[in-house]
Amino acid sequence: MTTYHFDFQPQAPIGLAARGTDLAGQLGNLNRRLEQERRERVAVQAQLQRLVKEVQTLRSERDQACRALDVAHEEALFCLARSAEQKDGEAGQHVRRIGVISAMIAEALGYPAEFCALISKAAQMHDIGKIGIHESILRKPGPLSTDEWRLMREHPRIGAGILSGARSPLLELAAEIALSHHEHYSGAGYPLGIAGDAIPLSGRIVALADFFDALTMDRCYRKARPDDEVLSMIRERRGQQFDPRVVDAFLRIADQIIVARDSINGIEAVCDLPDVHGDWWMLF
Ligand SMILES: [Fe+2]
Ligand SMILES: [Fe+2]
């Protein structure tokens, strides 16, 4: 009798177990890899956040440095404007008064507060170009010779040259004023001889503020004229030397302008008092 022996080995179950073990291994590896990738992703995100923060800090430091540089630049130019004022023999706070009067005229014309604030600073640099004119011409008591007058008429261009090329709105406006504050509405002014609205509004405003202040204050070589006399001179020059709209706005608030001017001069007078010391400014 033939005996058949079936050597049946349960291959399939063993294979499945091996594959199961293999799959479990692969799954473990996959999980480890995923975990590793997750950790790397978290590390990259943290690194990215640190970099973003660093960039923000650098940007804010750069902006602060730029602002500080702009302020230092403006302060240097204010110092230069005050030096030009002293060189010109202007007593005291001419440039400061011009800033205040110009801003008051701009406000009376209905311009927004931002423009008034800007012109109050920019107007103070109107004569910065006088730094390039010799004192013998600036302080000459009598009339200037033709050559001296030719040199004197260069101060708007010199001033605009000093102030131009800056990126700040304040210095752009200051350069515009420096160049245009001796133009006449009729076209008879200098250095360009432009007329009417071709003259920038800022120049038309500062021209009037400068005229009023220069004539109503003492200079080293002449006495001040009375306010009423200078106001009459301004009326006579309406539409000729000065823009009629600017003159009308000025005359509407002339009383307030005179009060503001006297108040600035009052502060200066307190500075001169011998018995008032360092903290005099606290009085105001
Ligand atoms: Fe000037
Ligand atoms: Fe002036």
Side-chain angles (χ1 to χ4, degrees), residues 204-234:
R204 282 178 268 149
I205 290 175
V206 174
L208 182 50
D210 197 27
F211 180 88
F212 175 76
D213 192 76
L215 292 187
T216 55
M217 299 302 300
D218 286 335
R219 296 290 299 268
C220 57
Y221 49 82
R222 61 151 172 77
K223 296 298 286 178
R225 293 178 191 236
D227 290 340
D228 285 347
E229 186 184 324
V230 178
L231 291 179
S232 295
M233 291 169 77
I234 289 171

Side-chain angles (χ1 to χ4, degrees), residues 159-177:
I162 291 169
L163 296 163
S164 63
R167 59 212 159 101
S168 88
L170 169 59
L171 297 183
E172 280 175 8
L173 185 63
E176 180 181 282
I177 290 170

Side-chain angles (χ1 to χ4, degrees), residues 80-90 92-96:
L80 203 58
R82 280 193 288 273
S83 303
E85 177 185 38
Q86 283 171 6
K87 191 176 176 186
D88 193 19
E90 292 281 4
Q93 311 227 29
H94 170 66
V95 293
R96 187 157 170 237

Side-chain angles (χ1 to χ4, degrees), residues 189-208:
Y190 64 91
L192 303 175
I194 48 177
D197 289 352
I199 306 166
L201 172 81
S202 60
R204 282 178 268 149
I205 290 175
V206 174
L208 182 50

